[in-house]
Amino acid sequence: MACTATLDVSPPVHRWMDTALQRDAFKKTIPILAAKVSASKTGSLLKSDIMKKSLMNLPKVRSVLRDPHDDLERLVLLNVSEDDALSPEVRNFLQEQSATLVVHNLELTYDYWTADEILHSILPEELCKGSPSGFAITGHLAHMNLNKEYLPYKHIIGQIKNPMIKTVVNKLDSIDTKYRFFKMELLAGEPNYVVEHHESNCRFTFDFTHVYWNSRLHTEHDRLVQLFRPTDVIADVFAGVGPFAIPAAKKGCAVLANDLNPESARYLSQNIVDNKVTSLVRASCEDGRDFIKKVIGRARDHPFPTYTGPKLSKMQEKERRKLQLAESRPIAALGLVDLPTVENQSPRHTISHFVMNLPDSAIDFLDAFRGILSESEWDFGNYANMPMIHCHCFTRELHPDRAEADIIQRVESKLGHKLETEVTLHMVRSVAPNKDMYCISFRLPRDVAFAQ
């Protein structure tokens, strides 16, 4: 018969705290049993099936300690406070191992408990369910979106954070309607809003108070970039500070990246330099509709260099030069570059994908695609395959079938044309109880692109 854990490791309750978090108040001493054995026998206790359910198994707590009074002895911590909670089988086994039961005081402090556990010991009981312990972390900054019932406790909530987080803010209702960044208030830490955030092996720097960024979209950023081939040219209509553009360029894609917000465009330009993709990303700052109408001509008139294969590591580059000097052999012969992936041996001047990551209004910009390829016969011959459009949007329809019908109807209405082939919908995330974010991907209809 296995023993049952009876230890109460919950934090002490301090519902009197309301504005200032007092970490020193979170201390708890729990007397527990420990099996005192010679160091050579600790392995026998830890590996025994009989002892498996009797051993201490708490996060952040070591189950074996040195005996403070004898360097040759060890204390194997158990998950009970009294010896009568141990089964007869466990007692007999410990006796066979010449183990002595002693009392050990387990000391728990603030850092032991999770943010959620600390909150539950501070907030009124009626607010504990669904307590806002989650942070969206961007660089050294964490931001929250507190419901009104938690606002009286916002400052103490902000203080319950990871030591690596230097700044905690709360999102306010007011949103800049033109540039889409939200207003915020400082809850805890330093008023330092310029962050350095790492994602997809890229480094992004930006002022969180003046640009839009959502760390929860990391998976969506990766998903779309995985759809691109290294030889592709991407037009990123609402590029922000580059969460699609920079990783795509790191992959080898050529990118025309645009954002209306001057601060976003400024940090986008900085991130292009910082990530060493200056030859592959061209930044602009203009209205998305104007960008869509002009970008085809820009790619045509100023093509990107040919894709020459994956970038070599420093070690591969060194080896390449060494072998070339020694044997005068071409790179392909060295096996360092996967030349079969180099499909396009001419300058890149046709756009393969449009990314439209502005879910609140991107669909409204789709009418700008009408006639974008009607200017010259060159366009007709070089766009045998129409670009793919990846358009993010919101819907109030929660059932997948109704959400699909709603989104497709709105897209077709703006395009003025039916979507007939290569149409997929991807559910990105729920953003509110009655609001979901989707990405609809479709091949731009040829009749739309060449409309007069």
Side-chain angles (χ1 to χ4, degrees), residues 70-82:
D70 189 341
D71 283 344
L72 299 178
E73 298 286 312
R74 298 292 183 267
L75 300 181
V76 179
L77 305 187
L78 307 179
N79 61 4
V80 294
S81 296
E82 299 176 355

Side-chain angles (χ1 to χ4, degrees), residues 195-214:
V195 302
E196 182 178 294
H197 185 76
H198 293 261
E199 179 178 299
S200 302
N201 199 32
C202 301
R203 174 162 59 100
F204 298 95
T205 301
F206 51 89
D207 186 334
F208 195 74
T209 62
H210 287 95
V211 307
Y212 178 82
W213 180 276
N214 190 337

Side-chain angles (χ1 to χ4, degrees), residues 400-447:
D401 290 341
R402 289 196 292 271
E404 179 176 347
D406 170 57
I407 293 169
I408 290 179
Q409 183 276 323
R410 289 154 55 200
V411 168
E412 291 179 340
S413 176
K414 279 295 177 181
L415 287 175
H417 196 279
K418 288 284 186 182
L419 297 181
E420 297 171 345
T421 59
E422 296 186 72
V423 182
T424 60
L425 261 80
H426 173 76
M427 202 281 201
V428 178
R429 59 187 287 260
S430 293
V431 297
N434 296 302
K435 188 177 182 181
D436 290 340
M437 178 179 172
Y438 277 81
C439 178
I440 180 170
S441 298
F442 60 91
R443 184 78 63 182
L444 178 63
R446 197 169 187 84
D447 290 346

Side-chain angles (χ1 to χ4, degrees), residues 271-328:
N271 294 330
I272 291 170
V273 173
D274 290 346
N275 288 279
K276 300 179 181 179
V277 289
T278 52
S279 64
L280 291 173
V281 187
R282 299 171 187 168
S284 60
C285 179
E286 58 191 314
D287 177 76
R289 189 178 302 278
D290 293 336
F291 175 77
I292 291 170
K293 291 178 178 179
K294 297 175 182 177
V295 71
I296 292 289
R298 290 172 182 171
R300 177 189 63 224
D301 298 338
H302 303 283
F304 284 90
T306 302
Y307 173 68
T308 57
K311 185 178 179 181
L312 301 182
S313 68
K314 290 182 179 180
M315 184 63 69
Q316 288 174 322
E317 185 67 31
K318 182 178 179 180
E319 189 67 17
R320 179 189 71 87
R321 286 195 293 264
K322 179 180 176 182
L323 290 175
Q324 275 191 314
L325 288 173
E327 303 179 21
S328 300

